[in-house]
Amino acid sequence: MSEPPNHETAGSGKVQRIVGLGAGAAGFAGHERGGTGSASEIATEDMILNIGPQHPATHGVLRLKLTLDGERIVACEPIVGYMHRGVEKLFEVRDYRQIIVLANRHDWLSAFSSELGVVLAVERMLGMEVPVRATWTRMLLAELNRVLNHLMFLGSYPLEIGAITPIFYAFRERETIQEVMEEISGGRMHYMFNRVGGLKEDLPAGWLNRVAAAVTAVRSRLPQIEDLIFGNEIFQARTRGVGVLSAEAIAQYGVSGPIARASGVDFDLRRDDPYLAYDELTASGALTVSTRTAGDCYARFGLLLDQVKVSLDLAEACVDRIAALPQGPINVRLPKILKAPEGHTYAWTENPLGINGYYLVSRGEKTPWRLKLRSASFNNIAVLPTMLNGCVVADMVAILGSMFFVVGDVDK
Amino acid sequence: MSFGKGLLTGLKVTLRNLTRRSVTAHYPDALPELPPRSRGVIALMEENCTVCMLCARECPAWCIYIDSHKETAPPATPGGRERSRNMLDQFDIDFSLCMYCSICVEVCPFDALYWSPEFEYAETDIRNLTHDKSRLQEWMWTVPPPPALDPGALPPKEIATAEKAAARLAAPSDATAAETAAPKDPPTKPAHRAPREDQP
């Protein structure tokens, strides 16, 4: 048993072990804790508490094996794999179109961005030039997907720590954007809209106007979510200063995405290793990388809202650009049997939850020899033990929710 | 009082929305309006199917089951060769396995498969989710015409080939007339996509 940090028993001056009665009793003298007043140690045992695999506070089947000393967590072991589907192995027996089907399913909240990584890798292997129309439409859809993903967490995170209302607002906005996504791709979650060499189909007539209208509508209603939850004192009490993640831990565990940027790690692949045409958006000033420095749950949550605002700006910039493009194709005609030439490449994209990478090794077959998937959620979950040690159980829920992961993306 | 200011701001949002109409659609009473590209259920136009098996082979979930036999037709001209053609016996799609990826619809070279936005086919028995060819044919009635495309898009393949063919036909007589005669109206549904009147 270890000593809980920064807690001293009142009156005694020396650090004492808080046992069995929970960290809530940390500030009380012995008699108030039901003891004899001598502050003598009560012999207790650590308790193993399993959070999950089925638990309302976790979304999905993540299991956390917590060792508790009273209310305080002394050890945490995330046990993953309950949803392991062997996706990397399945990639090896599927051609490049069928891989997209699986790629948009490991992280079901950022389906479009996950598809994108696969096709970018294959296109790079083939040395394929993608039509400019496809590039900009891909970027538009990727940003809309990012907004959808962040809105989900903007709604579900308050829900996890007891605020029920925001999710309804978040889902209203999601629905507005999902309508335009469904109109172009036909899917609401698994868009299956990327193809090697471009996109599956061209835009329907008038779709760009509807996207612009949806972006404007979401932007105009975003302050409601902000007013609803960000100023809320109860919410702030639960999240401010809780679960601070240091930049060192981020570097050690390979944490990426909004969680890393909330701790001041200024790294965003859209700017730092631009794919598609993000370099043009950076140059035009539309793409700014938002960061926060606090690194606590509140900063992580707040960063999502910052990113939604930036993504809506980017979507608008893409709409303007696509409307100005001359008539042209949206995809490249592919051969009947598509084979990537022998070789290997690594394509990474800034997915809504962090860096999503595909290491593609081909031996010239129509299926990849190996397609390694580096998913953001896995690394973001790996850092949990260092964050949870010394926390109380109630904060565990707040911290876990603020790590913004999708279990399918952890377990692959 | 500074504490509680945030709570009050939140309550103000709630109050403002309380006076507005609800955005929730009451589903069984109000049906959603789905765009034509919605992937609800796969419809089969049996007449177009040549039993080439591409859809069953390309399906990543292997949820399409096809069976056929060959029939020979007598030669069209006396002394000619006998014609054999594939007759479709079975075409089942197991929607409990289907991943709704659209690959089968995409690979079909003879436009026998279409997406319909219909989604209300939940069953209490999983075996009933396997739709046979008559049930898949029924869905043809619900297939909407494809949406018109953005002005920046290239014309759809069907229209582009038709225009080229028209231009080729008109070229020997008058090359300039062919250009003006080429259809300029926006791409609408190809005629073959509408359900046929004489089919149930």
Side-chain angles (χ1 to χ4, degrees), chain B residues 40-65:
Chain B
V41 69
I42 298 167
L44 166 73
M45 186 175 247
E46 204 191 321
E47 297 82 348
N48 284 354
C49 180
T50 61
V51 204
C52 68
M53 305 287 281
L54 269 179
C55 51
R57 249 188 308 170
E58 287 285 320
C59 176
W62 301 290
C63 69
I64 305 178
Y65 312 107

Side-chain angles (χ1 to χ4, degrees), chain A residues 81 320 351 393:
Chain A
D320 292 345
N351 261 32
V393 173

Side-chain angles (χ1 to χ4, degrees), chain A residues 9-10 12 14 16-17 29-31 33 35-42:
Chain A
T9 322
S12 70
K14 77 174 205 293
Q16 293 201 339
R17 198 167 61 163
H31 69 280
R33 290 195 276 134
T36 56
S38 63
S40 61
E41 290 184 6
I42 310 165

Side-chain angles (χ1 to χ4, degrees), chain A residues 361-382:
Chain A
V361 184
S362 172
R363 298 216 168 152
E365 301 290 317
K366 62 177 188 173
T367 61
W369 186 75
R370 173 96 166 95
L371 185 55
K372 164 80 176 81
L373 166 62
R374 185 258 191 238
S375 57
S377 301
F378 184 81
N379 292 57
N380 294 357
I381 277 307

